[in-house]
Amino acid sequence: MKTLTIYIAFLFASTLLFLNRYSDLYINNSITHFILLIIASITLILILGQVFGKLKTVKSRLLTVLIVVFVCFIQSFLTWGGDWKTQTILYRNLTNDNNTIEFQMRGDRFSFGYKKRVINRLKLFPGFDWTTDIDTNKINHKQWKKLNLYVNEMKFASN
């Protein structure tokens, strides 16, 4: 039962991370992303330790978990570019309130300035969105209500 739980946790966490990386699924919370990375890494190491007959003592497992958490933290710190933050909700879908077109910005960690994008954001559940790039000139205005709601998640000073 314990082994099955480890396999399920690895499958769940790694699938979400792969979908975040290689599809339009977006994990919009850096803490959630970090926790999934730690779960996937630790369960992979435990599975490999079981396959190769290593990590038999509690002390070796605990030390391995601490090392994996430290390495994941360093990796996340060095590669994380920042979360996309909504500045303005441009449109809201008339049939689905969880579907919006938003202007978002992200501050780059090691360079000056911001990246910008306009996306179609479908909120799946807390922490997870389905985002696609969209051209606002080509949308069907019969399906969208124009909002121009200034959200300012980047917390810029307003005049």
Side-chain angles (χ1 to χ4, degrees):
M1 184 66 180
K2 188 168 121 178
T3 304
L4 181 63
T5 305
I6 291 173
Y7 283 112
I8 291 172
F10 171 73
L11 186 64
F12 179 74
S14 60
T15 299
L16 286 175
L17 289 173
F18 277 115
L19 286 173
N20 180 62
R21 177 78 172 147
Y22 297 110
S23 75
D24 290 330
L25 181 76
Y26 176 62
I27 300 172
N28 63 25
N29 185 324
S30 56
I31 294 171
T32 303
H33 190 274
F34 183 68
I35 289 169
L36 287 171
L37 177 65
I38 287 175
I39 290 170
S41 301
I42 289 172
T43 55
L44 176 64
I45 296 297
L46 292 176
I47 290 169
L48 291 175
Q50 186 179 31
V51 168
F52 293 112
K54 304 292 182 183
L55 301 177
K56 293 183 180 181
T57 65
V58 174
K59 186 177 178 182
S60 65
R61 289 183 194 141
L62 184 61
L63 182 62
T64 302
V65 166
L66 290 174
I67 291 170
V68 168
V69 168
F70 179 74
V71 169
C72 286
F73 178 76
I74 295 299
Q75 186 268 342
S76 293
F77 178 77
L78 292 176
T79 61
W80 178 70
D83 291 331
W84 287 102
K85 302 287 185 183
T86 300
Q87 287 305 105
T88 307
I89 299 175
L90 302 172
Y91 297 92
R92 174 164 280 127
N93 192 294
L94 293 173
T95 58
N96 184 356
D97 285 341
N98 288 330
N99 194 1
T100 56
I101 295 176
E102 301 178 357
F103 170 69
Q104 293 185 336
M105 297 176 71
R106 177 176 80 182
D108 285 335
R109 176 178 292 240
F110 298 114
S111 65
F112 300 106
Y114 299 94
K115 290 188 176 182
K116 301 171 185 175
R117 69 180 185 174
V118 175
I119 58 152
N120 182 352
R121 177 182 181 190
L122 177 62
K123 296 175 188 172
L124 301 174
F125 34 80
F128 297 90
D129 298 328
W130 193 264
T131 61
T132 53
D133 291 330
I134 191 166
D135 183 4
T136 56
N137 294 325
K138 297 180 181 177
I139 65 169
N140 182 356
H141 290 281
K142 293 178 183 176
Q143 296 177 345
W144 298 94
K145 178 183 177 185
K146 188 168 183 116
L147 289 180
N148 279 336
L149 178 64
Y150 186 62
V151 179
N152 193 20
E153 287 183 349
M154 295 286 287
K155 308 263 190 271
F156 291 134
S158 300
N159 292 337

